[in-house]
Amino acid sequence: QLQLVESGGGLVQPGGSLRLSCVASEFNPVYEAIGWFRQVPGKERETVSCIKFRDGSTYYADSVKGRFTISRVNAENTVYLQMSSLKPEDTAVYSCAAALGAGACFALPYVTWGQGTQVTVSS
């Protein structure tokens, strides 16, 4: 069964950068996309960004457009989320997940999840 492992979280000052990694245990063609999500206690989970494996099409939440970049390295079974110009409101647990089905990546059902990595933006 597919497993996802996130890394790269940590403490960073406002305006700083971090790169998150999501490594899949295997390549399985049934999965269509990888998404990054974030959640703060007491708030709903937010879809941050996602990318489709085959055509590389992407989605970004309005709150991160122009600051975050998602990319994939299929040969490494890895999806990265480069986060720049970080703000305190970006503080959250970031998780990656794999989706099944066809269509735009933000609309797919995400069925396999990693454990998450904490990102804290604070001075």
Side-chain angles (χ1 to χ4, degrees):
Q1 182 171 345
L2 181 73
Q3 293 183 327
L4 302 174
V5 179
E6 304 96 334
S7 63
L11 173 64
V12 63
Q13 292 187 343
S17 299
L18 283 175
R19 188 179 76 162
L20 305 183
S21 300
C22 174
V23 180
S25 58
E26 62 179 355
F27 170 73
N28 189 331
V30 302
Y31 292 97
E32 185 72 15
I34 290 286
W36 281 99
F37 303 81
R38 65 187 182 187
Q39 189 162 24
V40 176
K43 293 188 176 181
E44 288 191 4
R45 184 171 62 208
E46 178 185 12
T47 302
V48 176
S49 182
C50 55
I51 186 167
K52 296 183 71 174
F53 289 122
R54 290 177 179 78
D55 63 12
S57 58
T58 59
Y59 161 84
Y60 295 95
D62 287 343
S63 57
V64 306
K65 278 181 182 176
R67 301 188 298 121
F68 290 11
T69 303
I70 192 169
S71 61
R72 75 199 194 290
V73 180
N74 289 351
E76 297 177 358
N77 295 338
T78 301
V79 171
Y80 298 100
L81 185 68
Q82 178 67 47
M83 306 186 296
S84 303
S85 301
L86 284 162
K87 305 174 182 179
E89 51 263 44
D90 294 318
T91 296
V93 175
Y94 285 71
S95 300
C96 65
L100 301 172
C105 65
F106 61 84
L108 298 176
Y110 285 83
V111 298
T112 300
W113 291 80
Q115 293 298 311
T117 185
Q118 176 71 44
V119 171
T120 302
V121 185
S122 175
S123 56

